Amino acid sequence: MKSNVSTILDKQLMPYVSLEAQDYPYYGIWSKSPFPFICLEPWDGIADRVDASGKLVEKEGIKTLGSSEIVFRRITFRFF
């Protein structure tokens, strides 16, 4: 994503909800018809491609941390 903030607008094009998620390389936005929802998901990695090796260390988007490393993330929702 080129932005850290995604905003969903209502039918009058007014902001309805926004999600701010920094430092995530991937982002999923999806819905499942006929259910009335939209899912916003910041992701660190993605599902394997059909030509993936199946090796965890080669998985696209995989993060490797040392034994004492910690990663903190912040996600902020705003409802209008």
Side-chain angles (χ1 to χ4, degrees), residues 2-14:
K2 297 194 186 287
S3 174
N4 292 325
V5 179
S6 295
T7 302
I8 295 176
L9 307 177
D10 66 16
K11 291 179 182 181
Q12 289 77 38
L13 302 181
M14 298 297 294

Side-chain angles (χ1 to χ4, degrees), residues 6-45:
S6 295
T7 302
I8 295 176
L9 307 177
D10 66 16
K11 291 179 182 181
Q12 289 77 38
L13 302 181
M14 298 297 294
Y16 182 73
V17 63
S18 70
L19 170 65
E20 180 179 355
Q22 296 182 358
D23 302 322
Y24 286 89
Y26 303 97
Y27 203 82
I29 303 173
W30 60 276
S31 183
K32 177 77 171 151
S33 184
F35 305 105
F37 72 87
I38 296 174
C39 188
L40 305 174
E41 296 181 344
W43 295 335
D44 267 322

Side-chain angles (χ1 to χ4, degrees), residues 29-76:
I29 303 173
W30 60 276
S31 183
K32 177 77 171 151
S33 184
F35 305 105
F37 72 87
I38 296 174
C39 188
L40 305 174
E41 296 181 344
W43 295 335
D44 267 322
I46 56 175
D48 282 342
R49 298 186 315 216
V50 294
D51 61 345
S53 70
K55 296 177 183 175
L56 185 60
V57 296
E58 295 177 357
K59 184 170 179 60
E60 185 173 349
I62 196 76
K63 302 279 190 255
T64 303
L65 300 177
S67 61
S68 62
E69 288 184 276
I70 299 172
V71 173
F72 292 97
R73 297 292 171 91
R74 184 180 74 199
I75 300 172
T76 305

